[in-house]
Amino acid sequence: MSQQQPQGAMWAGRFESGMSDALRAISFSLHFDRKLLPYDVRGSQAHARSLGRLGVVSPDEVESIVSGLEGILSDVLEGKDLFLPSDEDVHMAVERVLSDRVGAPGRKLHTGRSRNDQVATAFRLYVRDNCRRIHGQLLSLQRAVLDIARERKDTVMAGYTHMQQAQPVTLGHYLLSLYFALERDRARFLQARERAGRNPLGAGALAGSAFPVDRRAVAAELGFDGVTENSIDAVSHRDWTLEFLSACAILGTTLSRYAEDFVTWSASEFGYVTFSDRYTTGSSMMPNKKNPDGFELARGKCGRLVGNLTALMTTVKGAPLTYSRDLQEDKEPVFDSAETVSVLLGIFDGALRDAKWHPDRMKSRLTDLLLATDLADYLVEDGIPFRDAHHLVGALVGEATRSAKGLLDLPDSAWQDLPGGLSMRGKLSFESSLARRNIEGGTGPVSVANQLAAAGASLAKADAIQAELDKGGF
Ligand code: ARG
């Protein structure tokens, strides 16, 4: 076991020997938390200004800290590698580089601050920024879905339950279901952003900073909506990361279900849709294959989104208050989910915009058994109790399936047994089935037009929200 020089670490004052390789392997986090660099820099700049207002550092020192941090950020963004293997995490790395570059002012930066409130601040900014970004991507996908729904508002297709043809719907109505599901996903990211929206800086290690920094001014500078109410809560809990991960996992389940349908619909047995070459792959062996990998991977990636939520829930659950090092495990699941969700949204957005839909094929797959419920409803309108009507139509359906015919192809004799007889047969059509469903939220043309209008209005509102978020930086 090799021993590091104790003076290598910024906290090494009380230590006589260095850290074991085993501890170093589990403890050092720079390789992943360097993603927090821009957020750490903004947090530290705000803290420096706040120390300046207190007179703890001079205006010149504030200036050298703020511009020194800016220089570190731009150097790293340009690809310069400023960090050393001995840097424990991004926060220590930045402070070290700053101190190397600007001297004493750099060593004053950590006054009145702990890594505990520093990390909580940078990570909250990361989560908020990613909620903003994902919100924008969701909006773009919703726009794509709405455009196709508008175009396909009259395209009739079979609606399924239990993967069996159930009742006719329109493709527009189906796609609006995705639109409105995404609307709730979008709301969840706004809520997650809000939940991460209080400034923890000033909480110190756990008890509150002894330097009376103006926490509200720092909050305003960093775009937070307010300050955390309690210093112990501020550094201990990660419930806001769990909400973010939950929003990602739930969005994953939304996308996975639709991906599953789209994969099925692209199979030759269905042939409802063809995906472009940009979102499909070939087979290494079978020259005939064109596989919908984009949607398959979208479905598959849902597993890790749910896994990330489960992992962090489990970690947070056991960690004693206030800060325990367990909490460092919060970063990787959040980074992974944020990045995974972005990729999935990109796939859906692009693949759906490129997709070719095949209304003729959808039509050719309609069986008139889809109209069985309507037939029962017509009987009800003639005064027959629904349960009896259901039974009568069931018998007719049984006859049709036994003779491998459609309902409408059954001989007159079969229809004559039904109360109302042949006149009932004349009423059945896919168009009339849709037209009877103009109930709010239904698949009827008026209802679908209303849904399209409501969706258009919500999209306009969401655009305004996005513009507001983008103005605020994080
Ligand atoms: N990298 C650590 C984290 O993300 C920093 C916090 C360390 N704090 C401490 N008190 N040791 O949790």
Side-chain angles (χ1 to χ4, degrees):
M1 223 169 259
S2 77
Q3 303 288 305
Q4 266 208 288
Q5 289 305 314
Q7 61 268 34
M10 289 197 170
W11 39 255
R14 64 157 293 175
F15 287 77
E16 285 171 20
S17 81
M19 191 185 276
S20 71
D21 285 345
L23 177 56
R24 169 190 251 288
I26 200 177
S27 166
F28 275 44
S29 56
L30 179 63
H31 59 286
F32 59 81
D33 66 19
R34 53 194 308 152
K35 285 196 169 65
L36 293 181
L37 177 70
Y39 311 99
D40 188 67
V41 162
R42 292 291 170 253
S44 288
Q45 288 173 327
H47 182 62
R49 291 193 186 99
S50 147
L51 292 176
R53 285 191 293 272
L54 277 185
V56 173
V57 293
S58 71
D60 282 354
E61 288 173 325
V62 173
E63 171 49 31
S64 80
I65 294 172
V66 168
S67 58
L69 288 168
E70 204 60 46
I72 293 172
L73 179 59
S74 58
D75 283 355
V76 172
L77 291 181
E78 276 168 26
K80 287 197 190 131
D81 193 4
L82 307 181
F83 301 143
L84 300 174
S86 54
D87 290 327
E88 190 176 308
D89 62 17
V90 68
H91 317 287
M92 299 298 245
V94 168
E95 193 184 325
R96 180 193 57 75
V97 177
L98 181 71
S99 301
D100 289 352
R101 287 186 170 182
V102 309
R107 295 199 307 282
K108 292 186 179 180
L109 172 61
H110 211 51
T111 312
R113 182 178 78 171
S114 155
R115 240 186 317 163
N116 296 350
D117 57 348
Q118 181 183 2
V119 171
T121 303
F123 200 27
R124 280 171 188 252
L125 293 175
Y126 173 91
V127 166
R128 278 166 72 78
D129 196 26
N130 278 272
C131 286
R132 178 191 63 79
R133 206 174 46 72
I134 292 168
H135 184 270
Q137 280 192 287
L138 274 165
L139 248 177
S140 167
L141 173 57
Q142 283 187 292
R143 176 159 289 117
V145 170
L146 184 57
D147 286 346
I148 307 169
R150 273 196 196 110
E151 234 169 84
R152 300 293 172 187
K153 66 181 172 33
D154 301 318
T155 301
V156 185
M157 67 180 293
Y160 296 80
T161 65
H162 311 267
M163 268 306 280
Q164 311 290 317
Q165 290 205 2
Q167 290 182 329
V169 295
T170 62
L171 177 56
H173 189 223
Y174 177 94
L175 289 172
L176 279 162
S177 75
L178 174 55
Y179 178 92
F180 288 112
L182 293 172
E183 188 73 354
R184 295 189 298 281
D185 286 305
R186 204 169 53 69
R188 272 186 281 274
F189 280 96
L190 288 178
Q191 284 159 1
R193 183 177 176 279
E194 194 180 321
R195 207 76 77 196
R198 285 167 184 263
N199 171 30
L201 212 54
L206 75 156
S209 173
F211 293 83
V213 287
D214 183 346
R215 300 188 58 215
R216 285 170 195 274
V218 170
E221 189 173 332
L222 293 175
F224 283 117
D225 306 324
V227 297
T228 53
E229 304 89 337
N230 176 290
S231 61
I232 290 177
D233 180 39
V235 297
S236 303
H237 216 343
R238 293 293 186 265
D239 54 332
W240 44 277
T241 60
L242 298 178
E243 286 200 48
F244 175 76
L245 290 175
S246 169
C248 291
I250 296 172
L251 171 59
T253 64
T254 304
L255 296 179
S256 183
R257 295 193 71 182
Y258 285 87
E260 166 65 7
D261 273 10
F262 296 148
V263 167
T264 305
W265 292 3
S266 73
S268 53
E269 285 77 1
F270 279 78
Y272 290 179
V273 64
T274 306
F275 298 115
S276 75
D277 290 0
R278 284 158 31 95
Y279 296 96
T280 50
T281 67
S283 154
S284 61
M285 189 184 82
M286 299 168 282
N288 53 318
K289 293 304 296 291
K290 186 175 176 198
N291 302 323
D293 291 34
F295 286 114
E296 291 171 65
L297 284 163
R299 190 177 58 196
K301 295 260 183 208
C302 182
R304 66 198 293 158
L305 295 174
V306 174
N308 288 336
L309 172 62
T310 309
L312 192 54
M313 284 260 197
T314 311
T315 293
V316 168
K317 144 195 183 300
L321 270 62
T322 56
Y323 178 86
S324 292
R325 195 63 187 279
D326 315 37
L327 296 182
Q328 179 168 291
E329 283 297 298
D330 60 359
K331 312 288 178 320
E332 284 168 295
V334 168
F335 295 157
D336 184 68
S337 284
E339 285 158 26
T340 299
V341 153
S342 281
V343 174
L344 299 192
L345 289 169
I347 294 279
F348 262 70
D349 200 311
L352 288 180
R353 284 177 201 272
D354 278 12
K356 297 240 172 325
W357 303 91
H358 305 301
D360 292 346
R361 182 72 183 202
M362 291 178 178
K363 198 169 171 188
S364 75
R365 285 291 183 257
L366 296 170
T367 79
D368 62 16
L369 297 179
L370 286 158
L371 305 174
T373 311
D374 291 310
L375 179 55
D377 289 348
Y378 285 129
L379 292 172
V380 166
E381 284 169 12
D382 271 10
I384 297 178
F386 178 75
R387 194 47 59 209
D388 301 343
H390 187 287
H391 195 80
L392 288 167
V393 176
L396 205 63
V397 168
E399 205 173 324
T401 46
R402 276 190 299 278
S403 51
K405 287 197 163 98
L407 275 182
L408 297 170
D409 306 323
L410 284 173
D412 292 358
S413 55
W415 280 89
Q416 270 152 3
D417 291 345
L418 213 62
L422 293 172
S423 70
M424 290 292 165
R425 186 168 61 183
K427 293 187 181 178
L428 294 184
S429 72
F430 297 114
E431 291 67 29
S432 64
S433 176
L434 295 173
R436 287 165 58 81
R437 288 180 170 73
N438 280 321
I439 187 166
E440 191 171 2
T443 197
V446 176
S447 165
V448 168
N450 289 338
Q451 291 175 57
L452 289 171
S458 78
L459 208 56
K461 264 195 215 153
D463 274 335
I465 293 172
Q466 186 67 38
E468 200 55 39
L469 295 181
D470 289 342
K471 235 196 273 166
F474 300 140

